Amino acid sequence: AAVASTAASGAATALLAESSGRDGAAASADAQRVGLDASTLALSLELLRSGREAAEEAAGSLLTHREHLSAAEAEAWERTAQRLRSAAASSGGSGCSCASGWSDEAVLRLLLAVHANAHPVLDDATASRTVGLGLFPAACLLNHSCAPTGVLSFEAGGKVLVVRALVDLRRGQEVTYSYLDEPHLFAPWRQRRALLRAAHRYEPSQPRSREESEAAALCRSRLPAAALGELEAEVRALCSEAAAAAEEAEEAAARG
């Protein structure tokens, strides 16, 4: 796993701006065009400085969604990768020696992999405050579901990602989690589908339990008993998870 703190985001942005010089306005325009934020930039720089072997281990097998980019987006990413490589090479110390082992193409692939797969890292105590951005290769294998069977949490200051079950899992049952944050997870299907298409470049499917419940709500008909039972079980599981998290937070606060 690789993690960059929120404090590192500002430093990475400043480094790229300094390296870009007179090209600063164009660099900002390219970043805005492709949706590159400071956290993604900081984590990519952290991996770049860690060395080619370590970075390939963390991100080499991950999807980049490069095939979905428009020509303009691809060119903007290419220019950004060139600037990032130059920034790392000119920053001195380990950045200078490590950047020399990277081509622009390799840095581009790294940037795209981080952008497509990184997870926001939440604080250990309350899981409500973003403290950085991390790349956890094993967690990248998990699929999205709008009726998830698991939830992500963090330990050891965000360096360890833990997947906790929200329901009793059967042997062989898929572990899923929501790619959407909580407010968006409870949005109508049309909004969730649009967000997932835009952010994750794939065609999502609506779980049957949620399809039935939303259809019932829209037509004000009675919810089928089976679907109601499933929803009640999901709500109970979520409440239990929330209560356990609150108890852990109180214990951590008491110890601290």
Side-chain angles (χ1 to χ4, degrees), residues 1-202:
V3 178
S5 67
T6 51
S9 300
T13 303
L15 177 61
L16 187 63
E18 181 181 350
S19 176
S20 300
R22 295 180 180 179
D23 194 32
S28 296
D30 282 340
Q32 185 175 5
R33 177 185 291 274
V34 299
L36 177 64
D37 57 23
S39 297
T40 300
L41 183 63
L43 181 55
S44 299
L45 185 60
E46 186 75 19
L47 284 163
L48 183 62
R49 287 171 164 169
S50 71
R52 186 69 180 270
E53 183 176 349
E56 286 292 337
E57 182 179 354
S61 62
L62 301 179
L63 295 175
T64 64
H65 299 306
R66 187 173 185 175
E67 67 277 11
H68 298 294
L69 299 177
S70 67
E73 288 173 331
E75 291 174 358
W77 275 112
E78 289 167 2
R79 291 190 294 267
T80 301
Q82 292 168 1
R83 296 185 186 106
L84 181 61
R85 181 171 177 266
S86 298
S90 63
S91 63
S94 60
C96 182
S97 61
C98 291
S100 62
W102 290 83
S103 64
D104 289 341
E105 174 63 25
V107 175
L108 171 60
R109 196 193 184 289
L110 177 67
L111 263 175
L112 291 173
V114 171
H115 185 258
N117 295 280
H119 291 87
V121 176
L122 305 179
D123 67 291
D124 294 5
T126 67
S128 62
R129 182 170 57 90
T130 300
V131 298
L133 189 72
L135 192 64
F136 304 88
C140 296
L141 299 175
L142 298 177
N143 287 324
H144 164 83
S145 175
C146 290
T149 60
V151 65
L152 307 184
S153 63
F154 299 89
E155 298 177 353
K159 295 180 180 179
V160 177
L161 183 151
V162 178
V163 183
R164 302 185 185 279
L166 291 174
V167 298
D168 291 332
L169 294 168
R170 303 182 303 276
R171 181 182 295 275
Q173 183 178 354
E174 182 181 12
V175 178
T176 60
Y177 77 104
S178 174
Y179 292 178
L180 304 174
D181 58 15
E182 189 170 311
H184 290 136
L185 177 59
F186 293 102
W189 168 237
R190 180 178 298 178
Q191 294 180 24
R192 284 181 280 126
R193 180 173 57 186
L195 287 168
L196 291 166
R197 282 174 170 172
H200 299 283
R201 313 276 186 169
Y202 85 105

